[in-house]
Amino acid sequence: RFDEALKCQNKVLGLTSVNTNIYFQIFNNFMYMHRYQDALEFADLAIVSRKLDDLQLCELLIGKAIIFWLFDNEEEGLLAINLSEAINTILPHGNSKYSNLKNHQVFHGFLKKLFQYRRFNPTFYEKNEKSTIYFISESHSFSANGVTVDYNNSLHTIKSLLITGAKIFHLVQNEANKSKSSLDILLKGLPAKSTVVIGFGEIDCRINEGIFKYCVKYNKNPKLIMIEMIEKYIEILKLAADENECSLIVYGVPSPHPHTFEGFKEEDIEEFKLLVSNFNSQLSFSCETNNIPFLDIYKITNLKGVSNLKYHIDTNHVEPKVIPELFKRLVEA
């Protein structure tokens, strides 16, 4: 019901007194619908309205930078990143509008590093005529965008596509939700016979949210939760791939960066490390059982349950250089 939501949101904009958070909500709605040009144009309208506070302005600028990164506009992307530098000086308050402040700060730093990485590592981004492999995920797809990989004895360029904040938990729900609908829109919009990497699960596998937090809170067995979730996830992906005539590749969850453990008890850390390991093992097993290629990002980043720090670009995301290496290992396997 994205269109219906947009109609309601636009009515709100017509009111004399309006909560300016509505601007980012409309922008985000366009992003879930993958109407990127509409998102950019609306962001510009919101910015020139001069009604936004510093946080809201930075949110939209970072949103624009995401689009510019995904569509290879380095000049505009760096400009948006520079203009949103103030995001790192904003302090959180009790107000709910600050709930995503940390995420925006992470996105800002991540995109800044990616633009720099692309500038200093041009060999990863060769501009030749190649076929496209699509990579659908949340922000973990960003590192893959534009990278050249060797797959099935030919070179391909990765084109990343975003579903903000999506979890496997969202995708396996029976009822409709924005993540499921956004994935459906994306897959229906791809050319027939496309090769598609699907890379969800990292947000499900964080120490402060997702499976671990749920199991601790409700005293559940994480292994049973993961088996059921992953089996349904792979089943849904296979069905969607068949319906949209896609060839499927599944991307795992990186080994966690040690900095993400700060403030947690040692026994919780060890239990969490085991959860991430088991999650990837189950995902790998389900892919093998269903004859789906699996990009094992956990194996290449892991050292005794935590990141080996060879590939992480920040505490959440990996560097672009790991993507060609994963495809190389896929061929060798």
Side-chain angles (χ1 to χ4, degrees):
R1 299 172 67 182
F2 288 125
D3 288 321
E4 189 177 336
L6 276 173
K7 288 177 183 177
C8 294
Q9 289 164 335
N10 280 307
K11 284 182 181 178
V12 172
L13 281 181
L15 300 176
T16 306
S17 176
V18 58
N19 183 337
T20 47
N21 283 334
I22 192 69
Y23 287 103
F24 185 70
Q25 292 172 20
I26 293 174
F27 175 85
N28 224 22
N29 206 347
F30 281 131
M31 293 292 283
Y32 278 111
M33 297 171 75
H34 308 288
R35 290 168 52 178
Y36 298 113
Q37 188 59 41
D38 288 330
L40 283 174
E41 290 174 2
F42 184 80
D44 287 338
L45 284 173
I47 290 167
V48 299
S49 74
R50 298 184 179 275
K51 295 179 180 179
L52 308 176
D53 62 24
D54 288 345
L55 174 59
Q56 294 161 350
L57 177 61
C58 287
E59 284 179 327
L60 287 172
L61 286 167
I62 294 166
K64 289 181 65 175
I66 288 171
I67 296 174
F68 291 138
W69 170 254
L70 295 179
F71 290 90
D72 307 318
N73 190 333
E74 182 180 346
E75 183 179 350
E76 292 286 349
L78 283 170
L79 177 61
I81 285 295
N82 290 334
L83 290 173
S84 57
E85 197 69 46
I87 192 73
N88 296 308
T89 65
I90 297 172
L91 298 176
H93 296 283
N95 193 310
S96 61
K97 77 173 185 175
Y98 289 90
S99 60
N100 277 328
L101 174 60
K102 186 177 180 181
N103 284 341
H104 289 300
Q105 290 170 337
V106 169
F107 283 167
H108 181 274
F110 181 31
L111 288 164
K112 191 173 184 178
K113 289 177 179 178
L114 285 177
F115 279 115
Q116 291 170 345
Y117 192 97
R118 187 163 189 159
R119 178 168 289 183
F120 293 111
N121 297 276
T123 56
F124 287 109
Y125 304 93
E126 298 170 356
K127 286 293 181 182
N128 298 319
E129 289 298 321
K130 307 183 189 74
S131 59
T132 300
I133 292 177
Y134 298 92
F135 192 125
I136 302 175
S137 184
E138 19 67 39
S139 63
H140 287 77
S141 71
F142 292 179
S143 293
N145 190 58
V147 170
T148 299
V149 298
D150 191 343
Y151 182 59
N152 286 342
N153 297 316
S154 60
L155 296 178
H156 305 263
T157 299
I158 303 289
K159 173 68 178 173
S160 296
L161 298 165
L162 169 70
I163 305 177
T164 304
K167 302 178 184 178
I168 293 177
F169 170 80
H170 298 135
L171 300 176
V172 300
Q173 298 302 302
N174 292 325
E175 64 275 8
N177 60 65
K178 59 189 177 183
S179 296
K180 287 175 64 176
S181 297
S182 190
L183 178 60
D184 188 52
I185 291 169
L186 270 181
L187 292 175
K188 280 181 166 55
L190 296 181
K193 311 298 183 184
S194 292
T195 299
V196 185
V197 179
I198 304 288
F200 298 102
E202 193 277 343
I203 304 178
D204 297 273
C205 290
R206 291 182 181 174
I207 195 167
N208 59 345
E209 65 175 299
I211 299 167
F212 186 75
K213 185 176 180 180
Y214 172 80
C215 289
V216 169
K217 184 175 181 179
Y218 295 104
N219 195 28
K220 298 284 187 179
N221 184 331
K223 214 163 192 177
L224 296 178
I225 298 290
M226 286 187 294
I227 290 172
E228 183 180 353
M229 176 184 284
I230 289 170
E231 285 181 351
K232 191 168 184 181
Y233 176 54
I234 296 300
E235 181 184 327
I236 287 168
L237 293 185
K238 282 180 62 181
L239 182 61
D242 289 342
E243 288 177 351
N244 295 282
E245 300 182 66
C246 297
S247 296
L248 195 61
I249 300 172
V250 170
Y251 178 87
V253 174
S255 190
H257 195 287
H259 287 176
T260 61
F261 301 147
E262 291 176 1
F264 287 88
K265 293 183 292 186
E266 187 62 35
E267 56 265 35
D268 287 341
I269 293 171
E270 292 305 313
E271 189 177 343
F272 172 70
K273 288 193 291 187
L274 183 61
L275 181 146
V276 179
S277 174
N278 288 338
F279 185 92
N280 280 284
S281 295
Q282 181 62 37
L283 192 56
S284 176
F285 173 77
S286 293
C287 287
E288 185 177 356
T289 303
N290 289 279
N291 199 29
I292 299 170
F294 179 63
L295 296 173
D296 197 344
I297 184 67
Y298 179 81
K299 186 176 182 179
I300 199 172
T301 56
N302 182 52
L303 178 64
K304 298 180 180 178
V306 298
S307 171
N308 55 25
L309 303 181
K310 292 180 181 179
Y311 297 104
H312 271 82
I313 197 169
D314 61 20
T315 55
N316 297 284
H317 305 95
V318 294
E319 293 185 4
K321 70 178 182 181
V322 77
I323 305 302
E325 180 64 26
L326 284 171
F327 275 90
K328 180 181 176 184
R329 293 189 179 205
L330 190 62
V331 172
E332 292 172 351

